[in-house]
Amino acid sequence: MTDAAATETSRDRYAHHFDTAHLEGDLRGRSARGGAMMFVGQITKFSVRMGSTMILARLLAPSDFGLVAAVTSVTGFVAIFKDAGLSHATVQKETVNHAQVSTLFWINVGLSLALTLVVAALSPVLATFYSDPRLVWITLAVAGTFSFAGVTVQHHALLRRQMRFRALAIIEAISFTGGALIGIAMAYAGLGYWSLLGISGGTALINAIAVWIACDWRPGPPKRGCGVGSMVKFGGHLSLATVMDYMASNVDNILIGRVWGPAALGLYSKAYGIILLPLSQMDGVVSAVALPGLARLQSERERFARALLRMQRLILVPSIGPLVAIAIFAEPVIRVMLGDQWLEADIMFRALTSIAIVQLYARFVGWTLVSLGKSQWVVRVAIGGSTLALVAIAVGLPWGPEGVAIGLLIINLFWNPVIMCIALRAAEISVWRFVKELGPVIAPPSVLLIVGVQLPGASSVDLLTPMGFLIFCGVALLGVGSTLVGRAAREDLVTAIRDIRGRKK
């Protein structure tokens, strides 16, 4: 068979992975049902992560978490480049073909192998920087997980492009559960911080196997002149933006670990991880659904605007309530989740929770700019936010982790309204329309948060008692209910439920 004939055969065999015309007839319904399926998967993942965190926090010392965080704060920066933004390019582009995705696949594989070597080479540097020889082997172990990443990027992208959210949800749940079980078993065996590395390694391996089973697309050889130039450029812009965001999100970990030691870093990183968990779970569901759905509407701006505002309301309704309750009952939550030895994280816990809430209000910014293909705008937003975050970290660092958290909160209160206006301009949505449609969702839980943190008896609530648990759940439900004051949010919720059940209005 000639090369041309082989290419034509591959094109015909895998055409269903690239064509999206069949999705547009029921785009809203597919998004709703897919989002519901991913939400179930994320609940599973959330439960496993919370359970494993509670177990590991009692089996390991804060310094164990700090050691691994010291490495992952740096190696995570290198990991940004294994994707190179090319998964988003595959999802966002209106038309793609087998040759293009195959070429992107091999680019991702090459990057992941190169980055494995880079991370391995960093091991003695990190050990010297932190003055801890244990970091050499921890860094080498982290480097080993990079080889799995490149072979899954385009398969994940194709599943998202086809809106196969059920498969994605199952893959995430299985891989994370498997990784967590491996880590817990290692912790019980007395392997200390190696159990945390067991989680990441096990998750990466299981995920790679599951993705290739779920997506039967197989890459062909890379091709020159197949039209990937614009996709690589788009991905490059997103990678640069991700680099800037990562710096802003992890320089605090690096500097706290360097100046204040692994124990302080363990307190800070674990507090941040617990707070971001509810947000990341919900954001993972909505973002996975939002990007391919909005990308299909990018040429119809009014439909795009309606879908964007609806998705932002839908992520706010279930997410704000739990975050508000966590902020109000910070000490009891820490006591239950991590134990009394972590209570020093109380102040930073409240500040970081407030940051998560503020960022939740601006979640639509990324969806908007990426789905519209405005990658250069993404870079500018990332540069501005990262610069301000670095200033906040530098100013707050002399006061320890608490000073850093408070500094970042102040910056977020200023910067997020700015980027929200930028995204609204890109989407051709007026600020007045946004305030009119989202204000009734944002204002009530914000007031509840401000009032709730002033309550004097919140810190003494025992969440392990039936009454304490009911109080916490009551506040969380009150936060959720307050977002439904506006008519649009209630209509969105009813419509989403109807779409999930497959019923037409």
Side-chain angles (χ1 to χ4, degrees), residues 195-218:
S195 60
L196 301 175
L197 299 169
I199 293 177
S200 58
T203 300
L205 174 60
I206 296 170
N207 179 74
I209 295 172
V211 166
W212 275 65
I213 293 174
C215 179
D216 64 358
W217 173 79
R218 298 296 178 260

Side-chain angles (χ1 to χ4, degrees), residues 82-102:
K82 72 179 185 297
D83 183 309
L86 300 181
S87 62
H88 288 305
T90 299
V91 174
Q92 188 273 335
K93 194 171 177 65
E94 291 191 84
T95 58
V96 295
N97 58 50
H98 177 66
Q100 290 173 330
V101 180
S102 294

Side-chain angles (χ1 to χ4, degrees), residues 69-79 119 122 126 129-130 246 250 254:
V71 173
T72 55
S73 296
V74 177
T75 58
F77 171 79
V78 180
V119 172
L122 284 174
L126 289 176
F129 180 76
Y130 287 105
Y246 187 87
N250 289 274
I254 295 171

Side-chain angles (χ1 to χ4, degrees), residues 17 42 46 60 73 107-108 190 285 293 298 307 315 345 354 357 363 367-368 379 382 385 407 471:
H17 288 290
Q42 291 295 320
F46 175 85
L60 306 177
S73 296
I107 292 174
N108 286 130
V285 173
Q298 58 186 294
I315 193 176
S354 299
I357 293 173
R363 224 54 183 174
W367 313 336
T368 302
V379 173
I471 292 173

